[in-house]
Amino acid sequence: MYIPTQEERYSKAARLTLLLCIIIPAGVVVWLAGGSLSDCTAAFLLPLSLLLDKVGFNTTAAACISALIQFIFFLWLTRSRKLTPKTRLTIAITWGMLFALIVRIAIYQAAAALQ
């Protein structure tokens, strides 16, 4: 029986997989908090846009800048030849889970402010 090496197993991580590892965790957090489908799909933009909103940008500009920053970072992640497929996948999962944690903290703070 042939058992593929670790390099062969992780080489199949496509760009779509990396993108979903970034988008899905924050979307699940917003969905569990009762958000709509559009809120769930844009939830990964929230951490950077909240930071930019506090700096002084309006909400739309902050979301656009957040999307641009994450797009540039995603392009770097997918096109970097120095990173192994396993490292790319690890970075994408860590990025998605970190943003999910930040979204969860923001939801908790918003709920605490309402009470």
Side-chain angles (χ1 to χ4, degrees):
M1 179 175 180
Y2 174 71
I3 299 173
T5 64
Q6 188 175 20
E7 184 69 28
E8 291 172 339
R9 280 184 275 152
Y10 286 105
S11 67
K12 303 280 191 239
R15 288 185 182 116
L16 180 63
T17 304
L18 296 175
L19 187 63
L20 290 177
C21 287
I22 296 166
I23 294 174
I24 298 275
V28 169
V29 169
V30 171
W31 177 69
L32 290 173
S36 66
L37 181 62
S38 62
D39 292 339
C40 293
T41 56
F44 74 103
L45 298 175
L46 192 61
L48 288 179
S49 65
L50 286 176
L51 180 66
L52 291 170
D53 195 26
K54 292 206 186 272
V55 171
F57 291 96
N58 64 14
T59 307
T60 307
C64 291
I65 293 170
S66 173
L68 181 66
I69 290 169
Q70 291 194 46
F71 177 71
I72 291 169
F73 187 72
F74 181 75
L75 279 180
W76 168 80
L77 183 65
T78 58
R79 297 190 187 267
S80 177
R81 298 288 178 217
K82 292 183 179 181
L83 299 176
T84 63
K86 181 179 179 180
T87 306
R88 288 182 189 145
L89 193 60
T90 303
I91 290 171
I93 290 171
T94 305
W95 176 8
M97 295 305 281
L98 174 68
F99 278 21
L101 175 66
I102 294 170
V103 168
R104 178 64 187 124
I105 291 170
I107 290 171
Y108 178 74
Q109 287 179 346
L114 291 176
Q115 294 177 354

